Amino acid sequence: MENFTPVSALIGGALIGLGALLLYLFSGRIAGISGIASNALFNRDGRSWRLAFVAGILIGPFLVGLVSSNFNYSTPEFNWQLIVGGLLVGIGTGWGSGCTSGHGICGISRLSVRSIVATLIFMLAGMLIATLLH
């Protein structure tokens, strides 16, 4: 529990929710990163906003690190588990018609049964794998 930071978690969650809400209100789009990233690479329509969205996700932690003295982050050690995990996440988002951000944040807030079930499956699978590997 040494990394338990409820205030920053609440602020971060509120900002993610606000960002998802603003994207939906102004463009009618769901803030699901797998769909946004995929379409940024393979679809010319709306590419600029999608690339800006992905860039914001990648640049955001560095900007927070510049303004916060106690913010730290680390990159995972590159190994076979990282590669396999990334491939499985990619396959899962294709099979599940979305990712945790699309289903877990946007879908649940719209009371989508499909998103609620998908998020429960994501969470249970993650807990199972984490338990087995650690």
Side-chain angles (χ1 to χ4, degrees), residues 2 5 7-8 18-19 30 36 40 44 46 49-50 57 59 72 82 84 87 90 92 100 105 124 128 130-131 134:
E2 66 190 47
T5 56
V7 174
S8 60
L18 178 63
I30 300 296
I36 291 171
R44 289 186 179 266
W49 76 263
R50 288 182 172 95
I57 290 173
I59 294 169
N72 59 15
L82 187 67
V84 171
L87 290 171
T100 52
I105 297 167
L124 291 172
L128 175 67
T131 301
H134 299 287

Side-chain angles (χ1 to χ4, degrees), residues 4-5 44 47 57 61 94-95 104 110 116 123 131-132 134:
F4 182 63
T5 56
R44 289 186 179 266
R47 180 176 282 170
I57 290 173
W95 285 352
R110 293 181 300 119
I116 292 168
M123 297 303 292
T131 301
L132 292 175
H134 299 287

Side-chain angles (χ1 to χ4, degrees), residues 34-45 47 50:
S34 62
I36 291 171
S38 174
N39 283 313
L41 294 173
F42 302 115
N43 189 350
R44 289 186 179 266
D45 290 337
R47 180 176 282 170
R50 288 182 172 95

Side-chain angles (χ1 to χ4, degrees), residues 60-120:
F62 297 107
L63 295 178
V64 171
L66 291 175
V67 299
S68 175
S69 61
N70 63 351
F71 179 76
N72 59 15
Y73 56 89
S74 62
T75 55
E77 186 178 313
F78 191 77
N79 58 31
W80 70 270
Q81 292 170 320
L82 187 67
I83 295 169
V84 171
L87 290 171
L88 289 174
V89 167
I91 292 168
T93 59
W95 285 352
S97 299
C99 59
T100 52
S101 57
H103 285 300
I105 297 167
C106 300
I108 289 177
S109 66
R110 293 181 300 119
L111 301 177
S112 165
V113 174
R114 181 176 86 160
S115 290
I116 292 168
V117 170
T119 304
L120 287 172

Side-chain angles (χ1 to χ4, degrees), residues 20-36:
L21 176 65
L22 291 174
L23 182 64
Y24 188 73
L25 286 176
F26 289 111
S27 71
R29 306 281 184 171
I30 300 296
I33 188 59
S34 62
I36 291 171

